[in-house]
Amino acid sequence: MEPQFETVVTKLIARAFVVATFDPTGIEEAKRTVPVCFSSEEPVYEESLKANLILDHSPGSCDTSRLEGGPVFLAHDDTNPDNQVAVAEGVTISSDRKGRAIARFSKSKRADQIFQDVRDGIRRNVSVRAKLHKLVLEKVENGLKTLRAVSWMPVEFSFVGLG
């Protein structure tokens, strides 16, 4: 029998790529907003953990307080203020166990370019960056661990070129 594994992680930042589920009818041109699915429970290989990672979406697992009103970047480089193109609003964990938000784009030249790419279906991928507070071992299969983040906090998401 596999021993139970549980650890508390306080400084780990992870990225989990998901394909954004944009509903073209949900884009509001005048408000410059786009509905985004920024996270799910799909396992994603996390290089820093050398394991598959699942972000748990059960009630109480995800603290969305930091993401509400938080930055939406062009890439995960928050040291470059030119990479911020939007803010996240209306952040929720929905009943289908996905993280959702509205990205409200700025009127800067760079944000205009990204907003147009999103509207045109050119930029379709979103990556979320999160602080992982508590991980549990879900399974080990063929030597590969799958960890579940049962306590985590999204800190930003980015419209990325690669998924």
Side-chain angles (χ1 to χ4, degrees):
M1 185 167 162
E2 184 75 29
Q4 274 297 81
F5 172 87
E6 186 172 296
T7 187
V8 176
V9 182
T10 56
K11 294 189 180 193
L12 181 65
I13 300 289
R15 284 172 291 284
F17 289 93
V18 297
V19 176
T21 52
F22 300 164
D23 175 4
T25 62
I27 295 174
E28 294 192 38
E29 301 277 336
K31 292 182 180 179
R32 302 177 58 77
T33 59
V34 176
V36 173
C37 171
F38 65 84
S39 66
S40 72
E41 290 195 0
E42 287 297 313
V44 175
Y45 185 76
E46 176 53 50
E47 183 65 38
S48 64
L49 296 171
K50 303 287 187 226
N52 283 330
L53 174 64
I54 297 171
L55 298 174
D56 192 87
H57 287 68
S58 300
S61 291
C62 178
D63 175 1
T64 61
S65 62
R66 184 161 170 198
L67 187 56
E68 183 65 42
V72 176
F73 291 109
L74 174 56
H76 292 297
D77 180 8
D78 53 1
T79 61
N80 182 352
D82 292 337
N83 276 337
Q84 184 173 355
V85 293
V87 295
E89 298 176 336
V91 180
T92 61
I93 301 298
S94 55
S95 62
D96 62 356
R97 299 175 77 88
K98 293 181 178 179
R100 299 188 187 280
I102 302 296
R104 183 171 53 84
F105 283 80
S106 80
K107 294 180 181 175
S108 71
K109 183 177 180 178
R110 187 66 176 140
D112 274 341
Q113 292 171 334
I114 302 308
F115 185 53
Q116 186 63 49
D117 284 351
V118 169
R119 288 188 314 210
D120 291 345
I122 303 300
R123 218 169 251 279
R124 299 178 186 191
N125 298 313
V126 170
S127 172
V128 64
R129 189 167 67 161
K131 287 187 177 186
L132 306 177
H133 300 299
K134 186 175 182 181
L135 301 173
V136 296
L137 180 65
E138 179 119 328
K139 65 182 176 180
V140 179
E141 195 172 271
N142 298 322
L144 180 63
K145 291 179 183 177
T146 297
L147 304 174
R148 181 176 286 269
V150 295
S151 177
W152 62 284
M153 174 188 283
V155 295
E156 57 97 346
F157 64 87
S158 297
F159 288 94
V160 294
L162 297 174

